[in-house]
Amino acid sequence: MQSLLRGYNARLFSHPYSTKAAGTALTYVCSDLTAQALERRQHTGDDGESAFSAERALKFGAVGGLWVGPLLTYWFQLMDRLVPGRAPRAIALKLLVDQTVQGPLMLGSMFAWCALLNGASPAAVVAKLRTELYSTWVHSVYVWGPVQIVQQALVPLQYRVAVSNVVSYFWDTYLSLQMMPPPHEAG
């Protein structure tokens, strides 16, 4: 286990963006596969034995790896530069900015990327944003607010994306259910 941690740390030092992007992509693929199993069970009543859509999981994984992972890496660095420290006031300010700026922008862009990757028109993307972005953002504040307080207070900068990915598995399963077409609608 220590060898694995040393390798991960070396990779974080030598290739921080690609390492964090790969971890995020893997989390998103796993989250989407979980979401597909939940959808299949709900829609068909089976035990999830229907075929999974690898294409759908890879699309969601691409959003995570090519967009979310690199963006979060940059975001956490920017926040630490703009609001340094771990004092309660700094943590509160980071939390406020994270939840009111980064949260809606990240979720909105994810809704857009997922819809576009699944063939939605620009008008359909706008309609999806109008109907689902606000409620999803509110849910995100309940999940990510406490996580960000702990992250900013306790987690070293280089590990924040990895810690986010642990919580993100569950959150991204929810997001996949919100953002990706269910099996009976997928083509």
Side-chain angles (χ1 to χ4, degrees):
M1 182 64 159
Q2 236 173 12
S3 172
L4 183 63
L5 187 56
R6 273 194 307 273
Y8 181 73
N9 281 330
R11 210 46 208 149
L12 276 177
F13 182 75
S14 65
H15 299 89
Y17 280 89
S18 63
T19 301
K20 293 171 187 178
T24 304
L26 179 62
T27 301
Y28 273 56
V29 168
C30 292
S31 295
D32 184 71
L33 291 172
T34 301
Q36 287 186 54
L38 293 170
E39 288 168 336
R40 283 178 171 15
R41 192 170 290 159
Q42 179 184 25
H43 188 264
T44 63
D46 70 16
D47 291 330
E49 293 180 20
S50 303
F52 286 93
S53 170
E55 179 183 354
R56 175 183 146 162
L58 291 173
K59 285 177 184 178
F60 199 62
V63 171
L66 298 174
W67 180 246
V68 177
L71 190 60
L72 283 180
T73 300
Y74 178 75
W75 177 253
F76 288 143
Q77 291 171 347
L78 178 65
M79 289 298 292
D80 260 25
R81 220 176 296 126
L82 295 177
V83 186
R86 295 178 183 215
R89 186 167 192 252
I91 292 170
L93 183 57
K94 288 178 190 180
L95 177 66
L96 178 68
V97 173
D98 185 73
Q99 297 303 302
T100 60
V101 176
Q102 187 274 130
L105 290 174
M106 177 71 77
L107 288 170
S109 64
M110 287 177 64
F111 268 113
W113 280 119
C114 288
L116 292 170
L117 286 171
N118 286 294
S121 68
V125 171
V126 170
K128 182 95 167 166
L129 290 171
R130 282 191 177 133
T131 60
E132 296 187 37
L133 179 58
Y134 180 77
S135 64
T136 304
W137 171 71
V138 169
H139 290 113
S140 80
V141 171
Y142 290 121
V143 172
W144 290 106
V147 171
Q148 288 305 331
I149 291 169
V150 171
Q151 290 249 82
Q152 297 299 331
L154 302 174
V155 178
L157 180 60
Q158 71 267 28
Y159 297 117
R160 288 186 189 154
V161 173
V163 170
S164 290
N165 285 343
V166 172
V167 175
S168 189
Y169 166 76
F170 300 100
W171 174 248
D172 294 334
T173 298
Y174 167 76
L175 287 184
S176 177
L177 291 167
Q178 298 298 308
M179 296 179 180
M180 299 300 284
H184 64 279
E185 292 179 14

